[in-house]
Structure formats: structure tokens, C-alpha cells
Amino acid sequence: MIRARTFTDARQQAHSNAELNWWVFMRISGLILVFLILGHVYMTFIQVSESDATFDAVVGKLANPAWKFYDWLILSLALLHGANGARYSIEDYVRSRPTRAWVKGLFYTVVALLFAFGTIGLFSI
Amino acid sequence: MYRGREGQWAFLLHRLSGLAILLYLLLHVFSIGSFIFGERFYMAIHTTYDLWPFRIGLVFVTAGVVYHAFNGLRIIVMDFTGAGVAYQRQMWYAVLLISAASFVYALLTLWPRMVGGY
């Protein structure tokens, strides 16, 4: 994990290229997600209520390929961003090596299954 | 826990809000995606999610997302400009202000629905 204040520091601290790439990915995906998620929260929570999120409303909205793509972009970027963020936390707070391996393995499995589930759901309409 | 100044609190809140949002996202993907199991399964989850404690919870999720988003922008500014590091404390208070404002905005906008239950 990198604890850097600037990109130059990050490049010096990174143990591997992968670690540096994740550091950059967090910034870029974060920037994109600001617009995607705030738009999503506004359109689907502030403008409409939970009881409007009926089965027919969801199916109807997702019939439009533009919304499919919008939601799939959120799904993949947010899950990757969130999974990597949680990895930082796991590496900081789970100190024992074998436990950490189990926690990570279990966590990645859940995220991967949900990604598959969400993708199948989105594109099966 | 190390008690630093604003930077430490910003970091801690960023982590906590991030983990909370991730937990919400996992539940959200499951509940919305559950429509592939049919309408009955979907509605069984969503009538529960429509109860008032969950409606209030959504206002907190909104404020948490806004905090995480704007603090994330603050981090990006810090990472790529020197001025960002110099003004990180002021920017953090601005982030807190924006988050509080969005909490109040969401609460006021959704208030009739929350008490009316529709």
C-alpha cells in the first residue's frame, strides 16, 4: 500500500508497478464515479422514492441500452474502487498473514460473484 | 488510535464512509439484481427496504457518498498540486460543509415522503 502525498512520492514508494497502477486507478475511477454516482443518487433517490423502484420500473428503465451501460459502468468501477479500498483497510488492520489471506480470498470471491450477478442481471433483460 | 489534526479525521472518515458505501453497494447490487429471480422475490426485499428506518438510512448514505466524493476530490487536488497540500485543512471544512448541506437538502426534499410513507 502507498501512503503518498504526491504522484512523485507514490512512484518512489510503490513496491510494484501494479501497486502504482492501483494508486492511479483510485484517482481516475474516483473522478469518474463522482459524476456517475452523484447523478445516480439524484435521479433514483432524490427525484423518485423507494416505493417507485418497482419491479416494472426497474425492468422498464433497463430496457434502454444507455441506462444499461451507465449502470454497468457504475457497477464495475464502483466494485473495483471499493474492493481496492477495502484491500487497503484489510492490509492495515488484519495483521496475521494466514488470516489476511483468508479474509482477502473470501472478500474477493463475494465481490466477483456480485459482479457476475449484476452483469448477468443487467444484460439478461 | 493516533489523534492527529484535521488530516487524520479526514482520512478516518474517508475510510469509514468508503467501507459503509461498499457495504451498501453490495446489498444494493443484490437487491436490485434480484429481479432476475422474479417479481415476488424482488418485492419481498423491497417492501422491507421501504420501511421508514431504511428511508432515513438512505439520507445518511447520500451524505456519506457526498463526503466521500468531495473528500476524494480534495485528495486528488492534494496529490497533484502543491497548493492543494497547503490548503488541505480549509478544503476539508468546505467538504464537511457541502456534506452537511446535502444531508439537509436530501432530508428536506424527502421529508414528506418519509413521514407520508409513499
Side-chain angles (χ1 to χ4, degrees):
Chain A
M1 148 162 203
I2 302 172
R3 288 170 206 281
R5 273 198 157 167
T6 63
F7 180 69
T8 326
D9 290 352
R11 199 160 44 199
Q12 282 166 355
Q13 280 184 35
H15 299 295
S16 64
N17 269 336
E19 200 61 66
L20 184 65
N21 289 339
W22 277 116
W23 190 88
V24 173
F25 170 79
M26 289 305 264
R27 270 92 196 141
I28 294 173
S29 62
L31 200 57
I32 301 169
L33 281 167
V34 167
F35 298 101
L36 289 179
I37 303 261
L38 291 184
H40 179 73
V41 168
Y42 187 76
M43 286 184 282
T44 57
F45 176 54
I46 306 286
Q47 280 187 332
V48 300
S49 80
E50 176 74 17
S51 49
D52 293 334
T54 57
F55 183 81
D56 296 327
V58 172
V59 172
K61 185 190 167 191
L62 290 181
N64 184 343
W67 287 125
K68 260 183 210 176
F69 178 66
Y70 187 101
D71 285 0
W72 187 76
L73 208 59
I74 289 185
L75 178 76
S76 40
L77 282 180
L79 276 181
L80 276 176
H81 187 99
N84 191 48
R87 178 178 69 89
Y88 289 158
S89 301
I90 292 170
E91 285 179 357
D92 274 358
Y93 304 121
V94 183
R95 307 304 300 176
S96 132
R97 253 172 188 279
T99 317
R100 192 163 64 218
W102 278 108
V103 170
K104 273 188 183 175
L106 199 67
F107 175 68
Y108 292 159
T109 310
V110 170
V111 170
L113 284 176
L114 262 161
F115 178 70
F117 177 73
T119 304
I120 292 168
L122 267 178
F123 293 101
S124 66
I125 294 179
Chain B
M1 192 191 85
Y2 166 71
R3 285 175 195 272
R5 296 200 56 187
E6 286 87 346
Q8 181 69 21
W9 292 107
F11 169 83
L12 185 69
L13 266 181
H14 198 72
R15 273 220 162 153
L16 288 177
S17 61
L19 290 173
I21 294 165
L22 177 64
L23 183 67
Y24 173 79
L25 175 70
L26 297 180
L27 291 173
H28 182 66
V29 170
F30 181 74
S31 68
I32 294 288
S34 73
F35 74 84
I36 63 174
F37 299 133
E39 187 162 359
R40 273 191 54 186
F41 191 92
Y42 177 90
M43 283 319 286
I45 298 177
H46 279 263
T47 33
T48 317
Y49 278 8
D50 205 26
L51 296 174
W52 66 269
F54 292 97
R55 287 168 180 243
I56 294 174
L58 280 176
V59 177
F60 281 94
V61 169
T62 306
V65 165
V66 169
Y67 175 80
H68 198 83
F70 281 94
N71 194 51
L73 293 179
R74 170 181 160 272
I75 292 173
I76 293 174
V77 172
M78 275 163 69
D79 285 339
F80 295 106
T81 71
V85 180
Y87 288 103
Q88 58 93 7
R89 218 149 45 86
Q90 287 86 336
M91 283 197 292
W92 188 58
Y93 285 114
V95 169
L96 282 185
L97 208 66
I98 294 169
S99 313
S102 69
F103 180 85
V104 172
Y105 172 70
L107 193 65
L108 288 180
T109 314
L110 299 166
W111 186 254
R113 257 185 252 152
M114 255 183 241
V115 287
Y118 57 85

